[in-house]
Amino acid sequence: MITRYERMIARRYLMPGKGEGFIFLVATISLVAVALGVAALIAVMSVMNGFRAELFDRILGLNGHAVVQGYGGKLENWQAIADAARKLPGVTSATPLIEQPLMGSFQGRVEGVLVRGQRVADIKGNAVMADNVRAGSLDRLVPGSGTVAIGARLAENLGARVGDEISLINPAGESTPFGTVPRIVAYRIGAVFEVGIFEYDKAFVVMPVEDAQLLMRLGDAVGMVELETNDPDRVGQILQPLQAVVAQDGVIADWKSTNSALFSALVVERTVMFWVLSIIILVAVFNILSSLIMLVRAKSRDIAILRTMGAGRAALMRVFMTVGTIIGGLGTLLGLGLGMTILAFRESIVAGVGALTGANLWDPSVRYLTELPSRTDPFEVIGIVVLALVLSFLATLYPAWKAANTDPVQVLRYE
């Protein structure tokens, strides 16, 4: 424990004395550098966490935890497979699904689309889609009505709005003496949604599964069965018994295999960013080290006098360790507040920097998500704070040791 007089000396050494302005400047730079390092780590790690969490929630919210994909894109025996899946412990739902890339056209504009057919109840029960309707209503999706819901980016690219008719072009059309004629069917737009993932918003056309079966000429078959479990991380073990059931009809693909490259890249990027930004804190700690060394040299006469008055080596070590730890602690607290402020105004900051530089810092076509996400992990923040404090403390050990080993006889003889 630090004593009262040690606290007094440490407090006096924190303030610049006569001719010590440069030392105070270096200490201030060290404090600011620690703050910037802590703020950068908190902000970047929170954004990376938010990016992964948003992608995970939205991708799995739309595609489920796994799918049973029929050979050739057609699953005839889907009812039996869905029933067998629902009986497995850990499986919460098994729903039929049709997904097929086609072409969409409106007033001369043509875009590649991904037609998705689902039961109307499943469409309305999907929170990712139902909670993000920007225009119209999903209630308009009625089997046989010729009504669809499309993504917001697709609506922009086609120039279409709710109430307009778009044409879906199926290349697998009818055979004629002159060759295969593509099947073209017109559908009215009943709703426009924006789920927040650029690739989905620019391509999705959602319709009742009955209409999709008619468009694709599938009869009573579907393309796949979408499965959800109570533990996405254990989806492989949960669905293992289903492998034998579906072996003759299709294959099981879970979210880990489908999106493995994306999520693996996120893990690598997150780890690299943590270590790179930690270097900022390390550099700041070296500044604390250098400022304390200069302080010890500047206060060598005071240290010698304190030694002759009875101050022990341990007491002098505690004084300088306190000075350095206070600088690191104040910088950490400042960085914590700055990091939280950056996260709170991250959208405005990105927009402001983009306006100043003329660059699009958050291009949805590159970043997948339409908005900059953030999810702060309290334990991660605590870890960053502890890291900064521990490094700051370690930086005080050598200067404190030098101060404690100052020979008062040598110093007072020459000074």
Side-chain angles (χ1 to χ4, degrees):
M1 294 293 293
I2 187 169
T3 63
R4 182 177 179 183
Y5 90 89
E6 292 168 359
R7 287 197 300 270
M8 179 193 69
I9 296 172
R11 186 165 56 248
R12 289 175 64 89
Y13 283 179
L14 280 170
M15 302 306 296
K18 186 176 180 180
E20 297 173 354
F22 181 72
I23 299 176
F24 180 74
L25 176 62
V26 174
T28 303
I29 293 174
S30 304
L31 186 149
V32 173
V34 170
L36 291 176
V38 171
L41 261 178
I42 291 175
V44 170
M45 299 308 293
S46 296
V47 168
M48 293 297 295
N49 289 339
F51 191 80
R52 184 186 185 280
E54 285 294 313
L55 273 180
F56 187 86
D57 292 343
R58 294 178 187 272
I59 289 177
L60 297 195
L62 284 173
N63 297 324
H65 301 158
V67 293
V68 179
Q69 178 77 51
Y71 295 126
K74 191 173 183 179
L75 200 60
E76 298 278 1
N77 193 28
W78 68 268
Q79 294 96 336
I81 293 174
D83 292 338
R86 294 188 191 100
K87 294 176 182 177
L88 292 178
V91 175
T92 57
S93 71
T95 58
L97 180 67
I98 296 173
E99 273 193 0
Q100 182 69 36
L102 299 179
M103 299 297 293
S105 173
F106 176 72
Q107 293 185 350
R109 297 184 182 181
V110 179
E111 293 284 339
V113 300
L114 183 62
V115 175
R116 166 174 283 213
Q118 289 181 280
R119 294 181 301 193
V120 174
D122 295 331
I123 297 174
K124 295 179 180 178
N126 190 315
V128 175
M129 193 179 303
D131 295 344
N132 293 284
V133 176
R134 296 291 176 257
S137 173
L138 295 179
D139 292 332
R140 299 178 182 177
L141 301 185
V142 178
S145 65
T147 305
V148 298
I150 68 173
R153 301 286 84 77
L154 177 60
E156 291 177 4
N157 293 340
L158 290 175
R161 298 175 297 177
V162 172
D164 291 335
E165 282 193 354
I166 63 171
S167 297
L168 297 181
I169 306 169
N170 184 3
E174 298 178 352
S175 297
T176 69
F178 304 99
T180 301
V181 177
R183 180 176 173 80
I184 303 176
V185 182
Y187 293 92
R188 187 171 299 278
I189 300 174
V192 174
F193 58 84
E194 183 178 11
V195 299
I197 298 180
F198 183 82
E199 294 297 322
Y200 294 161
D201 289 332
K202 78 167 187 175
F204 261 2
V205 175
V206 180
M207 64 176 63
V209 68
E210 295 86 353
D211 293 352
Q213 288 172 328
L214 184 62
L215 176 64
M216 311 297 177
R217 295 181 176 273
L218 293 176
D220 293 331
V222 298
M224 62 189 75
V225 173
E226 182 183 88
L227 306 173
E228 291 190 7
T229 65
N230 55 13
D231 188 354
D233 293 323
R234 295 182 55 251
V235 62
Q237 293 126 336
I238 293 174
L239 298 180
Q240 182 63 35
L242 194 63
Q243 294 281 359
V245 178
V246 306
Q248 300 298 323
D249 300 291
V251 295
I252 300 176
D254 60 34
W255 69 270
K256 292 182 180 180
S257 60
T258 306
N259 304 286
S260 60
L262 175 60
F263 285 104
S264 296
L266 287 176
V267 171
V268 173
E269 184 177 358
R270 183 175 177 274
T271 304
V272 171
M273 291 299 293
F274 176 82
W275 288 110
V276 169
L277 293 174
S278 296
I279 295 176
I280 299 177
I281 298 180
L282 190 60
V283 171
V285 164
F286 280 117
N287 285 336
I288 294 177
L289 175 65
S290 62
S291 65
L292 286 179
I293 291 175
M294 289 188 291
L295 182 62
V296 169
R297 291 181 62 87
K299 297 295 186 181
S300 59
R301 191 167 183 272
D302 293 358
I303 295 170
I305 293 174
L306 287 172
R307 288 293 308 278
T308 59
M309 294 176 63
R313 292 185 176 183
L316 289 173
M317 284 195 69
R318 286 195 293 269
V319 167
F320 286 94
M321 288 166 65
T322 300
V323 171
T325 304
I326 288 176
I327 294 173
L330 290 176
T332 302
L333 288 177
L334 180 61
L336 183 61
L338 180 60
M340 294 302 176
T341 302
I342 291 173
L343 291 175
F345 297 97
R346 62 188 183 279
E347 293 287 352
S348 301
I349 293 173
V350 169
V353 174
L356 289 175
T357 60
N360 187 359
L361 300 182
W362 191 262
D363 186 355
S365 63
V366 177
R367 305 294 184 182
Y368 289 98
L369 300 178
T370 55
E371 295 181 354
L372 180 64
S374 170
R375 184 168 296 187
T376 303
D377 184 353
F379 295 102
E380 198 168 66
V381 172
I382 292 173
I384 293 171
V385 169
V386 170
L387 173 66
L389 292 177
V390 169
L391 290 177
S392 299
F393 174 77
L394 293 176
T396 66
L397 295 180
Y398 177 72
W401 178 80
K402 290 290 291 184
N405 285 277
T406 299
D407 187 352
V409 176
Q410 294 294 328
V411 173
L412 294 177
R413 176 183 295 174
Y414 297 106
E415 296 190 20

